[in-house]
């Protein structure tokens, strides 16, 4: 990524020392990449990218529903 980036793991922002975090790829459920311009309250601010990593945790797992 180039330019300013904010990282999140699940619902938590990584506020310090982002370079020291390592995530095993087998524990990643999925990732989202958002532009700050997509968030209403951040419009007009200097643009940056938000990278959100969702891990395979019990909280991120939903039971399969059969209709």
């Amino acid at each position: 990524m180039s330019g300013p980036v904010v990282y999140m793991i699940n619902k938590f922002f990584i506020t310090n020392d982002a370079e020291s975090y390592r995530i095993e790829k087998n524990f990643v459920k999925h990732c989202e990449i958002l532009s700050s311009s997509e968030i209403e309250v951040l419009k007009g601010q200097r643009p940056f990218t938000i990278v959100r990593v969702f891990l395979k945790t019990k909280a991120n797992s939903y039971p399969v529903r059969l209709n």
Side-chain angles (χ1 to χ4, degrees):
M1 308 255 17
S2 62
V5 178
V6 172
Y7 295 97
M8 294 179 74
I9 298 178
N10 294 325
K11 62 181 180 178
F12 300 102
F13 287 100
I14 304 304
T15 58
N16 294 313
D17 202 20
E19 298 83 24
S20 68
Y21 284 80
R22 300 287 182 258
I23 301 171
E24 170 63 42
K25 67 181 178 179
N26 293 327
F27 291 112
V28 175
K29 183 175 181 179
H30 69 277
C31 295
E32 291 179 350
I33 298 176
L34 302 167
S35 173
S36 61
S37 63
E38 296 178 39
I39 301 172
E40 188 69 33
V41 297
L42 297 175
K43 290 190 184 213
Q45 301 293 319
R46 194 170 129 209
F48 60 93
T49 303
I50 302 165
V51 176
R52 189 170 182 190
V53 179
F54 292 89
L55 301 178
K56 293 178 184 176
T57 64
K58 194 171 188 175
N60 288 339
S61 299
Y62 304 100
V64 176
R65 289 184 75 179
L66 300 175
N67 292 331

